[in-house]
Amino acid sequence: MQAMEVAAANFERHLVHNTYSGRGLVVGRSSVEDAWLMIYWMMGRSEHSRNRRLVVEGDILRTEPIDASLVEDPSLIIYEAIMVLPRCHLIGNGDQVRTIYEALQAGSSFDAALSTREREPDAPNYTPRISAMLDLHELPGQLTMSILKANAANPAYTDRTTYRPALPPAGLGMGLTTYDSDGSPLPSFSQDPLLLPCEGDIHTVLDRYWDALDANNRIAIAVKRLSADGETSELIVRNRYT
């Protein structure tokens, strides 16, 4: 099966026909220009999880509550999902993004930063922390991805897996989500990074992914376009609740 067919099959199976993939991220290459795309989305089942939206502040993509009076625990729902250092772009589903950002600023590394973090403490789901770094200091760049999830034998421990996939070709990206599917408790993502489609401009990509997410559970999505060298960017957002 060709790469585009694999990506399309993964997209149909894991997003279109899956009511709950949770939060997700994709880093890939545009099919219409020499540029990178970063995709981030949020889903939620509870009132607490749904009480948020994505907000753009300069180069930063962050979450914020829609109704602050309903926030029970801000530590797991309020965070920066995309942050930027010179020629280095970070994306993830929690405040571990800031941990990585501050570690890199201090001269440390992606792996060292995440060695200080655990899966989320939201028993019984123990939501995984998913993160990615696109390093464009030496072109064409390097992609690093990570998932921190509860150990299957003892969820008090965290399994840490880092991936360094080959850079995807134009029109394709590599993706992680927090869950494999809906359930109680929610089953953590158990696969390697998925090859997923990145065809079209950022508006086309946003529409395609938004439409793929379950209409009852989707909350927000963002797509960031980066020039090949990471020097210029554009970031667009769609929120279910405003």
Side-chain angles (χ1 to χ4, degrees), residues 132-155:
M133 174 177 69
L134 179 61
D135 186 344
L136 298 174
H137 282 95
E138 294 185 12
L139 299 179
Q142 182 180 44
L143 175 59
T144 307
M145 309 182 82
S146 166
I147 183 165
L148 310 181
K149 62 183 180 180
N151 178 269
N154 186 346

Side-chain angles (χ1 to χ4, degrees), residues 15 27 103 111 130-131 172 196 226:
L15 297 183
V27 180
D111 288 330
I130 54 174
S131 313
L172 293 170
L196 291 167
L226 297 165

Side-chain angles (χ1 to χ4, degrees), residues 161-192:
T161 306
T162 300
Y163 303 90
R164 290 180 172 83
L167 296 181
L172 293 170
M174 304 302 298
L176 293 170
T177 67
T178 52
Y179 308 120
D180 272 338
S181 62
D182 205 346
S184 184
L186 288 159
S188 294
F189 186 77
S190 62
Q191 308 163 69
D192 289 334

Side-chain angles (χ1 to χ4, degrees), residues 9 20 40 47 53 60 72 86-87 97 101-102 106 127 158 174-175 190-191 204 211 226 239:
Y20 207 71
Y40 181 71
E47 182 182 34
R53 59 191 165 209
I60 293 175
E72 301 167 4
R87 304 192 77 168
V97 175
Y101 176 88
E102 292 177 350
T127 300
T158 298
M174 304 302 298
S190 62
Q191 308 163 69
T204 300
D211 291 344
L226 297 165
N239 288 302

